[in-house]
Amino acid sequence: MSDNIADWEIVRFHDRAATKEVSSVAEEYPITIIINGEEFATMVCSPEHVEELIVGFLASEGVIFQYKAIQQLTVDVVAGFAYLEIEKLPDTYQEDHSKRFIGSCCGKSRQFYFKNDVKTAKTIMSNLSLSCNQCLQLMTQLQQASNQFRQTGGVHNAALATVNDVQLIRTDIGRHNALDKLYGHMLMNQTSVRDKVIVFSGRVSSEVLLKIAKMRISILISKSAPTKLALELAEDLGITVIGFVRKGAMNVYTHHDRVKEITYAKKR
């Protein structure tokens, strides 16, 4: 198997019969981030595109604002450590900093949540639009490319796309990690986001919404559901949230004007 998928012997019960089989399961590894010789956080993640994950995570946390802020980055996935040298840390870094463990699920374990977000999540002004059919096609493209999910059922996927095509997909056991990997790639490659949307497999929480805002993305397309706080933030920050994109249907929750070809059924 790959570094991200492992074999595990199981006993499968079906129609009152039991059989021994080999099943595919997702791998997860802890990575401890060391910044300027001090432990910053330990993350649990899928062991691929780890450099992108770290860059995106630190940008999400407000530790860096550009990739060039990192003078040196060394990752040892086997040992479970990432070493960074950052010359200029934010003024509030020392007072906010403490060791943290960030699991593969979500939650409010990210200590800077909302505090640094005020500085980095800005209102997005964009004329980008797409059709209902383009939304559905992008989700279909993401699902067709989601090989690890089909094998394990245990990962999330996030994609950077134009309104016509998925261009880059990142996968992780954590939905926030998958987005951070995209964010890291964008920063490392100075990707223009003017014509980009995010296609996502996970639930749209307030923290997910804020990550999208920091990426400066105006449209988020998700297979899953949003939360009320996420939608309130999306309204304020100028982000179109489209959820439950599946089986030929979808819900447009905020800034509906970016989705074209919407016609409303007449009430009987």
Side-chain angles (χ1 to χ4, degrees):
M1 302 297 286
S2 73
D3 291 338
N4 308 312
I5 301 173
D7 287 337
W8 195 268
E9 188 176 277
I10 64 170
V11 177
R12 186 183 300 278
F13 287 87
H14 182 69
D15 290 338
R16 298 183 180 182
T19 57
K20 285 188 175 182
E21 300 179 15
V22 174
S23 180
S24 297
V25 295
E27 292 269 21
E28 60 178 330
Y29 288 83
I31 296 288
T32 297
I33 300 173
I34 308 293
I35 298 178
N36 297 350
E38 294 187 8
E39 183 177 333
F40 176 73
T42 296
M43 309 176 69
V44 177
C45 62
S46 297
E48 63 176 353
H49 305 294
V50 176
E51 288 191 11
E52 293 177 352
L53 169 61
I54 292 167
V55 172
F57 169 67
L58 293 180
S60 293
E61 294 285 342
V63 177
I64 62 170
F65 298 99
Q66 295 179 306
Y67 176 53
K68 65 182 181 182
I70 300 174
Q71 296 171 292
Q72 185 175 343
L73 170 57
T74 304
V75 178
D76 186 339
V77 175
V78 176
F81 285 93
Y83 302 93
L84 293 96
E85 293 294 328
I86 301 176
E87 183 177 9
K88 178 61 176 175
L89 290 167
D91 295 336
T92 57
Y93 178 81
Q94 288 301 328
E95 61 187 71
D96 288 332
H97 168 62
S98 66
K99 297 177 184 178
R100 290 169 291 152
F101 178 82
I102 299 168
S104 57
C105 1
C106 28
K108 301 300 187 292
S109 54
R110 287 171 161 83
Q111 191 180 57
F112 297 160
Y113 185 49
F114 280 146
K115 190 171 184 179
N116 278 340
D117 292 332
V118 174
K119 304 175 188 175
T120 54
K122 306 295 183 182
T123 302
I124 296 172
M125 306 298 291
S126 171
N127 294 321
L128 185 66
S129 65
L130 75 175
S131 68
C132 296
N133 187 58
Q134 285 172 318
C135 290
L136 296 169
Q137 287 296 321
L138 289 174
M139 184 58 66
T140 298
Q141 287 183 38
L142 178 66
Q143 291 180 297
Q144 289 177 344
S146 303
N147 296 324
Q148 288 187 43
F149 179 80
R150 282 196 296 274
Q151 289 178 269
T152 68
V155 295
H156 283 285
N157 296 288
L160 187 67
T162 65
V163 296
N164 293 310
D165 293 297
V166 165
Q167 296 189 332
L168 179 75
I169 297 175
R170 289 295 179 260
T171 300
D172 201 278
I173 54 169
R175 58 196 174 98
H176 297 86
N177 291 349
L179 287 170
D180 281 338
K181 287 177 178 179
L182 278 187
Y183 192 12
H185 177 92
M186 292 159 59
L187 290 170
M188 294 168 75
N189 293 277
Q190 298 182 317
T191 303
S192 171
V193 298
R194 185 172 300 177
D195 62 339
K196 302 299 191 301
V197 303
I198 295 292
V199 192
F200 188 45
S201 66
R203 178 171 53 87
V204 182
S205 65
S206 54
E207 191 176 4
V208 163
L209 195 282
L210 287 166
K211 284 183 185 294
I212 301 302
K214 292 172 187 178
M215 294 181 196
R216 312 299 296 156
I217 297 289
S218 61
I219 300 174
L220 171 61
I221 303 168
S222 175
K223 182 183 176 182
S224 193
T227 67
K228 182 184 177 184
L229 179 54
L231 296 179
E232 290 172 345
L233 289 168
E235 286 282 15
D236 290 344
L237 294 171
I239 297 172
T240 298
V241 174
I242 306 167
F244 286 112
V245 183
R246 56 180 78 169
K247 297 180 180 179
M250 62 188 199
N251 297 340
V252 184
Y253 291 92
T254 57
H255 297 280
H256 314 84
D257 55 301
R258 289 201 183 100
V259 182
K260 307 302 181 183
E261 302 173 10
I262 292 181
T263 55
Y264 295 96
K266 293 182 179 179
K267 294 183 178 179
R268 295 181 179 179

